[in-house]
Amino acid sequence: MAQRLLLTITALLAICTMCHADGHVCGIVTDEKGEAMVSVVIKVYGAGNNKMLKYALSGKDGRFNIPVKDEWLPAKLTFSYIGYRLKEVTVSDTRSDNKITMTEEALSLKEVTVKSAPISSHGDTLLYNVAAFRSASDRNIEDVIRKLPGISVSENGTISYQGESINKFYIEGLDLLSGRYALATKNISPDDITSVSIYENHQPKKVLKDISFSEKAALNLKLKKNRMLKPTGTVTAGAGYGDNVLWKGELYGMIIGTGSQHLVTVKTNNDGTAYGNETRMLTAGGTSYTETAAWNIFPQNPFGSASVPKERYYNNKSVSTSVNSLFKTGENTTLTLNADYQKDRNSYYNSKFTAYSTGEGEYVTVDEGNNSMTDAQEANLYLNIENNGEKLYMAERLSMRGRFRRNRYDLSGKGLPTEVQRTNDFGISNSMNGIIRKNDRVWQFSSDISFANTPLNFIRATMPGQQTATVYQNAEGLNFHTHEKTSFSWIVSSRSDLSLNVSFKSDYDRLNSIQTVPGNNAGNDNCGYKLVSTAEPAYQYNSSRLRLTFSLPVEMYDVSYKDLISQSRFILNKPFVGLRATVRYRPHGHTDINISVGKSTSTGGINDFIINPIYTTYRTATTLGTGVLSVHNTLYATAGINYRNSLDGTFATLHGNYRHTQSNILRSSNVTEDKTVADILNQTNTAHLWNIYSYAAKNFSAADMVLSLTGNITSTKRNVVRQGIGYGVTNSNYDIELSAVNRFFGDIVSTSLSCKYMLSVQDMGIISTKNKINSLTGSMKMSVFPIKALEIYFSPYYSMTKQHGTAAISNLYVDGGTRWTGKAIEIELALKNITNRKEYTIRTFRENDIYSYSYRLRPAEAVITLKLKF
């Protein structure tokens, strides 16, 4: 294993070496007073011609570093900046450090038309001009963000920049939504926004500037001046018909000022529109909630979920409301209040055909029909007080949550029951963070405390015509969690610092389960704690081109769990040593290279001591643990290259990672037509994970087109035991997606195209069996504006899956409609599933089994809505 890791590191370092193949023209640009000049435009021309070969901008310290090829020399460089005379120099070698002095020059402008560049950069800030990318068909600012090269938006609304999810979402530089930013992106009109900014390597805490660095970016929305200090929003009412009468009612309002920000939503519908993603926490660190072991015992979708949007097959009655307010109470202090409530009552029908591998090339098949009726409610409250100063950071965050499920699954098939699930879950947490910086000393401390309780959680399966449950399974639990951290940093020089991070984490858990099955009653009653004390010395070096971090975490585990039924106790006191090392190299202003290697250890918890089986569905009995604490040792290596050139709108990313995990547990299962029994074995197990992610995007501003290409390869290899036979399973997924967004004839026609191909391969080595599934999906939206205020649109979606040796399954849906937009009013007729497609079918792999799903779709529907804008 060590040899593999060494080879991986060697290959990644070779990438860095290749970046030095050509020379660099370096230097600094200053004015006549000797002060550094930022964002001076520098162009490189070849010897003896006027063809531009490279361009760049001077950095925040006035310095520039431009890669050049030897055959370009001697090269002509021009330096331009508004209000200064054009400067030309000739460079004949790459060894000198050039000092350029710019001279002021008076300007006389006559009838100048200024057109903003689509993308511009200022140091680590990237600015996208919304007007350059939006089209008249865009409903909200998320539609625009999806088009921006370098940025991607997932199905649930998560925004990523160059493959990494953002760590902050700001409106006018303030975090109003505390990580629940889909409330903004799915509601704010593009008419209200002038620009979208990306802050690369964003450190949200000012006190840690130039000390603690982030590899993630933040996004900021800049409002138009005429949208500030006044209410903006929409009121929507709609009605329609499919199989039943449809309704829709929505209110969204926002007011953004210099001293406060407010955003409110109230929404309800039964036309299939899902609101759940709007209030989902999309950034890490948004809350310090923990969950009980009992909460996740029963799966939320025990009989499958489709890969198409839920609004295609859910018959829903949904209500959602949120209130969000931020008040600036001082120059650096804010008070934020966020509250939301969701209620979703859904019904849908699907059938599931499962082929369970026996490990010998044969399969046990189970065919289930399922009519699901789910009722979920959730309420959240967040209160955050923050002082984000350059010398002092203080934050206090209180969170409260309640979740409730009332689900019913009417199963159809040979001898299948009705399954009912009931769950109540509550949580409260408080997080306090502080950072004090004085001269070359930095002290950090934080305290997270949370309590979670699941007092009600059970499933009951009853056969048709019977009163007594064939399976009754109850699981209740609670969790108390604390995490105390402190850190001391010493700034050794302007480029390096040392730090010591100390933390103490504690978890107390209890889980009680009661099982009633004819002829067999079993239960669990377990409690205990896990304490983890960590000391992590770290070193960091940072310059304009190179950043190096190295840390050595030493963790001491103190574990004690008790089985109250058998009165047995497990105790562990053991240290573990880890390693983290990261190198970030910037050969020039357009390219970043990142390499990380490390070793870590993690352990299980109370689930390892749940040794009696728990029914997670009517047919699946799962034993969660073995009575021995699970220990997972992981070695990892990651590398990435990011390139972005804002002037010509080119972005490219290539990331790769490898992870090797060794543990002392192995999953085992035995499957019959009537029952699945899953166990955990005390056996050494090794798992491998490989992933390569690539992304490239180009903005062709002259053609009003953005092209993007995404590729992803993921492969996992692990050991399993099925029917008493142990074998290795490798699941590999290869997918590539091409997207194009285009406007024609001055936005008279706009199109959005996406095509994705994916190959899934399942390889069960011991029996030399390979299963393959090919899938192809394509979607398109075309909008035509015969007159400026009238939009006619249609949106087809096509999917095809083919398992090797079986017939291909195809699905085609078409939506469409028309919309008339006035200054303060909008009327839309939306037509869904115009072809009245009845069913959606898909095949997929899950570990060593094959699943085929068919979902009954919503019928052809028409909804007319009236939207008032203010």
Side-chain angles (χ1 to χ4, degrees):
M1 182 56 235
Q3 291 179 339
R4 290 185 182 179
L5 182 59
L6 180 61
L7 289 172
T8 302
I9 296 171
T10 303
L12 298 177
L13 291 174
I15 296 174
C16 296
T17 305
M18 290 188 293
C19 295
H20 294 276
D22 293 311
H24 292 75
V25 174
C26 308
I28 186 171
V29 186
T30 64
D31 59 16
E32 293 174 292
K33 298 178 182 178
E35 296 182 358
M37 295 183 63
V38 183
S39 298
V40 174
V41 178
I42 307 163
K43 298 180 181 179
V44 180
Y45 296 88
N49 61 60
N50 291 321
K51 181 181 180 181
M52 188 181 71
L53 303 172
K54 278 279 185 180
Y55 58 87
L57 299 176
S58 60
K60 59 183 178 182
D61 54 0
R63 300 201 64 85
F64 61 91
N65 186 297
I66 308 173
V68 297
K69 296 182 179 180
D70 293 338
E71 58 265 29
W72 294 354
L73 300 175
K76 182 177 74 173
L77 272 66
T78 66
F79 300 80
S80 59
Y81 196 86
I82 295 178
Y84 287 79
R85 184 177 298 122
L86 181 71
K87 183 82 172 183
E88 294 186 4
V89 298
T90 300
V91 177
S92 57
D93 62 66
T94 58
R95 298 186 298 273
S96 303
D97 193 27
N98 300 276
K99 185 174 182 180
I100 308 299
T101 302
M102 302 286 288
T103 304
E104 287 192 68
E105 181 180 52
L107 290 177
S108 178
L109 302 177
K110 296 181 180 179
E111 296 183 2
V112 175
T113 300
V114 179
K115 184 178 180 180
S116 299
I119 312 172
S120 59
S121 63
H122 308 277
D124 283 343
T125 298
L126 208 59
L127 191 69
Y128 295 88
N129 179 17
V130 168
F133 292 95
R134 73 153 303 185
S135 65
S137 60
D138 295 328
R139 303 298 202 266
N140 50 47
I141 193 62
E142 182 182 272
D143 290 340
V144 179
I145 294 174
R146 287 180 182 275
K147 305 175 189 178
L148 304 181
I151 300 177
S152 59
V153 183
S154 70
E155 290 290 336
N156 70 359
T158 300
I159 299 173
S160 297
Y161 174 69
Q162 293 193 325
E164 293 284 344
S165 59
I166 61 173
N167 62 4
K168 281 288 185 179
F169 182 94
Y170 299 114
I171 301 175
E172 289 290 329
L174 296 174
D175 184 10
L176 165 65
L177 300 171
S178 303
R180 298 147 59 253
Y181 55 76
L183 281 167
T185 58
K186 293 181 182 298
N187 289 293
I188 296 178
S189 169
D191 294 332
D192 298 336
I193 305 299
T194 181
S195 65
V196 174
S197 297
I198 287 290
Y199 305 145
E200 297 178 320
N201 309 118
H202 178 64
Q203 171 52 258
K205 299 171 183 176
K206 298 177 184 178
V207 70
L208 294 179
K209 182 181 179 182
D210 301 325
I211 296 178
S212 179
F213 300 92
S214 170
E215 301 302 327
K216 293 181 177 290
L219 186 145
N220 179 61
L221 298 183
K222 180 71 175 177
L223 270 69
K224 294 179 178 179
K225 290 184 179 180
N226 63 348
R227 302 296 185 180
M228 293 285 292
L229 302 174
K230 59 181 286 188
T232 62
T234 58
V235 177
T236 304
Y241 191 79
D243 280 347
N244 301 290
V245 175
L246 305 175
W247 81 81
K248 187 170 192 173
E250 297 182 351
L251 166 67
Y252 146 70
M254 182 179 73
I255 180 169
I256 303 297
T258 55
S260 65
Q261 298 183 352
H262 309 275
L263 189 151
V264 177
T265 62
V266 180
K267 300 185 177 185
T268 182
N269 80 86
N270 74 336
D271 69 352
T273 304
Y275 298 131
N277 288 334
E278 291 194 8
T279 54
R280 181 177 298 177
M281 194 70 65
L282 298 177
T283 59
T287 181
S288 55
Y289 282 140
T290 56
E291 294 180 341
T292 68
W295 166 256
N296 292 310
I297 289 288
F298 307 122
Q300 192 167 2
N301 296 294
F303 305 105
S305 58
S307 57
V308 293
K310 291 180 179 179
E311 51 261 35
R312 290 274 183 200
Y313 63 97
Y314 268 23
N315 296 300
N316 72 305
K317 293 180 181 179
S318 301
V319 176
S320 174
T321 181
S322 73
V323 177
N324 308 272
S325 294
L326 180 147
F327 302 91
K328 286 200 70 174
T329 56
E331 182 180 355
N332 297 308
T333 57
T334 57
L335 170 65
T336 308
L337 172 68
N338 308 107
D340 62 72
Y341 170 77
Q342 295 273 337
K343 178 177 175 61
D344 288 292
R345 181 174 294 171
N346 300 303
S347 65
Y348 62 94
Y349 178 84
N350 75 296
S351 62
K352 181 175 75 169
F353 181 83
T354 308
Y356 293 99
S357 170
T358 64
E360 297 179 316
E362 298 179 355
Y363 291 88
V364 174
T365 60
V366 177
D367 196 355
E368 298 168 318
N370 167 45
N371 189 24
S372 298
M373 289 157 283
T374 64
D375 190 332
Q377 298 183 67
E378 181 172 344
N380 293 278
L381 175 65
Y382 310 99
L383 180 64
N384 187 52
I385 303 172
E386 183 179 64
N387 174 36
N388 193 5
E390 295 183 355
K391 299 296 182 182
L392 174 67
Y393 176 86
M394 291 292 295
E396 184 82 18
R397 181 180 177 86
L398 175 67
S399 306
M400 290 182 283
R401 175 187 64 197
R403 297 181 290 185
F404 313 91
R405 295 177 186 167
R406 302 291 185 267
N407 300 340
R408 177 187 176 96
Y409 309 97
D410 290 326
L411 299 166
S412 59
K414 181 181 177 181
L416 296 183
T418 293
E419 183 173 300
V420 174
Q421 178 187 354
R422 300 285 186 270
T423 307
N424 293 344
D425 182 76
F426 305 92
I428 183 169
S429 72
N430 186 79
S431 178
M432 185 270 290
N433 291 272
I435 306 173
I436 300 173
R437 181 171 182 173
K438 186 174 182 181
N439 300 324
D440 59 352
R441 300 288 186 269
V442 178
W443 178 40
Q444 302 184 53
F445 56 92
S446 67
S447 175
D448 296 330
I449 301 174
S450 67
F451 175 76
N453 184 27
T454 308
L456 174 68
N457 197 23
F458 71 84
I459 61 170
R460 182 178 64 245
T462 307
M463 299 300 281
Q466 297 184 7
Q467 299 297 321
T468 304
T470 56
V471 173
Y472 175 84
Q473 180 69 66
N474 179 71
E476 301 172 359
L478 58 84
N479 169 269
F480 181 72
H481 168 85
T482 67
H483 191 188
E484 317 299 322
K485 295 185 292 183
T486 187
S487 173
F488 301 90
S489 298
W490 296 267
I491 302 175
V492 179
S493 68
S494 60
R495 292 187 174 182
S496 62
D497 63 83
L498 292 169
S499 63
L500 176 64
N501 307 305
V502 180
S503 70
F504 177 78
K505 185 187 296 185
S506 68
D507 280 280
Y508 174 82
D509 288 279
R510 180 156 188 172
L511 185 140
N512 177 272
S513 73
I514 300 173
Q515 176 194 120
T516 303
V517 179
N520 181 29
N521 294 328
N524 295 280
D525 194 356
N526 300 78
C527 65
Y529 62 82
K530 179 170 69 173
L531 310 179
V532 183
S533 305
T534 305
E536 183 176 10
Y539 170 77
Q540 179 175 257
Y541 173 85
N542 181 63
S543 67
S544 59
R545 288 195 189 181
L546 179 66
R547 183 186 303 156
L548 169 67
T549 60
F550 178 86
S551 65
L552 196 69
V554 180
E555 298 177 312
M556 182 66 193
Y557 279 73
D558 297 289
V559 178
S560 177
Y561 287 103
K562 186 176 182 179
D563 188 324
L564 298 176
I565 296 177
S566 66
Q567 293 299 309
S568 60
R569 181 181 291 273
F570 177 89
I571 296 176
L572 173 73
N573 304 103
K574 187 175 181 179
F576 297 99
V577 179
L579 169 69
R580 300 186 184 101
T582 301
V583 179
R584 175 176 177 263
Y585 178 64
R586 177 173 285 181
H588 54 75
H590 298 313
T591 305
D592 284 320
I593 301 173
N594 298 278
I595 300 175
S596 297
V597 295
K599 173 185 178 295
S600 64
T601 300
S602 63
T603 71
I606 193 172
N607 283 4
D608 292 334
F609 305 95
I610 310 301
I611 59 174
N612 288 320
I614 294 175
Y615 273 84
T616 56
T617 71
Y618 76 96
R619 62 161 284 126
T620 305
T622 302
T623 302
L624 301 179
T626 63
V628 176
L629 189 72
S630 61
V631 179
H632 309 266
N633 293 297
T634 300
L635 296 173
Y636 67 88
T638 67
I641 300 177
N642 297 319
Y643 173 85
R644 59 102 164 154
N645 192 322
S646 61
L647 292 180
D648 67 359
T650 303
F651 295 79
T653 296
L654 178 63
H655 287 172
N657 71 75
Y658 169 73
R659 187 174 295 267
H660 171 276
T661 301
Q662 189 172 63
S663 66
N664 59 339
I665 62 171
L666 183 62
R667 298 187 182 277
S668 171
S669 58
N670 287 278
V671 180
T672 66
E673 291 185 0
D674 300 319
K675 187 176 182 180
T676 299
V677 178
D679 295 303
I680 302 293
L681 305 178
N682 275 323
Q683 293 185 20
T684 300
N685 187 19
T686 301
H688 304 268
L689 169 66
W690 298 266
N691 175 254
I692 298 175
Y693 169 84
S694 61
Y695 171 85
K698 171 70 175 176
N699 176 40
F700 298 92
S701 56
D704 273 338
M705 180 171 65
V706 177
L707 283 178
S708 64
L709 181 67
T710 304
N712 198 34
I713 301 173
T714 302
S715 182
T716 59
K717 183 178 181 180
R718 64 200 173 279
N719 299 316
V720 298
V721 175
R722 173 65 60 83
Q723 316 295 70
I725 300 172
Y727 57 98
V729 178
T730 301
N731 287 103
S732 301
N733 291 291
Y734 310 85
D735 62 75
I736 185 169
E737 182 174 9
L738 176 65
S739 299
V741 180
N742 210 170
R743 295 184 297 182
F744 302 94
F745 313 115
D747 208 17
I748 294 176
V749 179
S750 63
T751 62
S752 175
L753 300 169
S754 177
C755 183
K756 182 176 182 178
Y757 170 77
M758 183 169 70
L759 170 65
S760 299
V761 181
Q762 180 193 65
D763 185 358
M764 292 179 283
I766 194 171
I767 55 176
S768 300
T769 298
K770 279 190 177 182
N771 293 310
K772 296 181 180 180
I773 294 179
N774 295 275
S775 64
L776 178 68
T777 59
S779 62
M780 173 185 179
K781 182 177 180 181
M782 174 177 284
S783 295
V784 180
F785 291 84
I787 59 175
K788 186 175 182 181
L790 180 63
E791 175 189 8
I792 301 171
Y793 64 89
F794 75 98
S795 179
Y797 172 88
Y798 172 80
S799 71
M800 181 278 296
T801 60
K802 185 181 188 306
Q803 182 183 346
H804 181 69
T806 64
I809 301 172
S810 298
N811 300 278
L812 175 65
Y813 325 106
V814 180
D815 298 333
T818 183
R819 181 176 65 142
W820 180 85
T821 304
K823 185 175 181 181
I825 191 172
E826 181 180 299
I827 301 173
E828 180 173 5
L829 173 63
L831 305 175
K832 300 181 180 180
N833 195 10
I834 296 173
T835 57
N836 202 25
R837 180 83 181 186
K838 301 293 186 181
E839 190 176 71
Y840 168 84
T841 303
I842 191 71
R843 289 195 181 104
T844 185
F845 296 128
R846 188 177 301 166
E847 296 183 346
N848 45 322
D849 304 317
I850 303 173
Y851 292 79
S852 298
Y853 297 100
S854 293
Y855 289 84
R856 183 181 298 162
L857 297 175
R858 294 175 67 107
E861 296 174 332
V863 179
I864 186 167
T865 57
L866 172 65
K867 179 182 291 187
L868 302 178
K869 298 178 284 187
F870 58 89

